[in-house]
Amino acid sequence: MPTVLVADDTASIRFLIRTNLELEGYDVLEAVDGVDCVERLAALHEAGTLPDVVTVDVMMPRQDGVVTAAQIRADRRYDGVKLVMVSTQNLAADIKRGYDAGVDAYVTKPFDPDEFIATVARVLAGDPGATDA
């Protein structure tokens, strides 16, 4: 099954996402913020593996999710990694910022776990129509 790296500063959200993904058979890794996410990706790359998908919260300490997504997209080592932004920010301008940073899908909190899983699956399948859950 695919591997997902979940970057969120809220432990309960990481737990919710991890639990639902694992119930569907995904392998799940965690990062506590944007800096940790980028560091985890670099370490995984060095080990010869990468997650298939990274979910990234927008509002995190040290480095927000928009900057993190843009940083991941700018690094050619991560070209095959899909990005799903997860945020409470649901204004059109917020969503546009996420897509401008290079995410493949934008999910607003609170989200239905089944719809979230379906969004991750669509992104993995390369569905360009994968949008908000």
Side-chain angles (χ1 to χ4, degrees), residues 1-2 4 15-28 113-114 117:
M1 281 304 279
V4 180
F15 178 78
L16 173 69
I17 292 173
R18 169 187 277 281
T19 300
N20 283 282
L21 288 168
E22 286 178 344
L23 286 170
E24 295 298 319
Y26 291 88
D27 292 322
V28 180
D114 292 333
I117 297 297

Side-chain angles (χ1 to χ4, degrees), residues 5-119:
L5 173 58
V6 176
D8 198 299
D9 61 312
T10 305
S12 60
I13 298 295
R14 286 194 315 271
F15 178 78
L16 173 69
I17 292 173
R18 169 187 277 281
T19 300
N20 283 282
L21 288 168
E22 286 178 344
L23 286 170
E24 295 298 319
Y26 291 88
D27 292 322
V28 180
L29 307 169
E30 295 182 23
V32 298
D33 60 34
V35 172
D36 187 30
C37 178
V38 172
E39 289 173 352
R40 293 288 311 262
L41 279 174
L44 289 165
H45 181 267
E46 287 297 316
T49 185
L50 284 172
D52 300 285
V53 177
V54 174
T55 70
V56 60
D57 183 25
V58 172
M59 296 178 9
M60 295 185 291
R62 296 201 300 166
Q63 181 170 292
D64 74 32
V66 174
V67 171
T68 301
Q71 188 175 356
I72 292 168
R73 279 293 172 247
D75 193 323
R76 305 281 309 170
R77 296 177 297 174
Y78 311 131
D79 281 352
V81 175
K82 304 292 187 181
L83 291 172
V84 176
M85 187 155 280
V86 183
S87 179
T88 57
Q89 298 179 331
N90 61 0
L91 297 176
D94 299 321
I95 295 168
K96 182 181 181 316
R97 279 184 55 222
Y99 282 111
D100 288 348
V103 301
D104 298 290
Y106 194 104
V107 176
T108 55
K109 297 177 191 174
F111 54 82
D112 176 280
D114 292 333
E115 291 177 10
F116 176 80
I117 297 297
T119 298

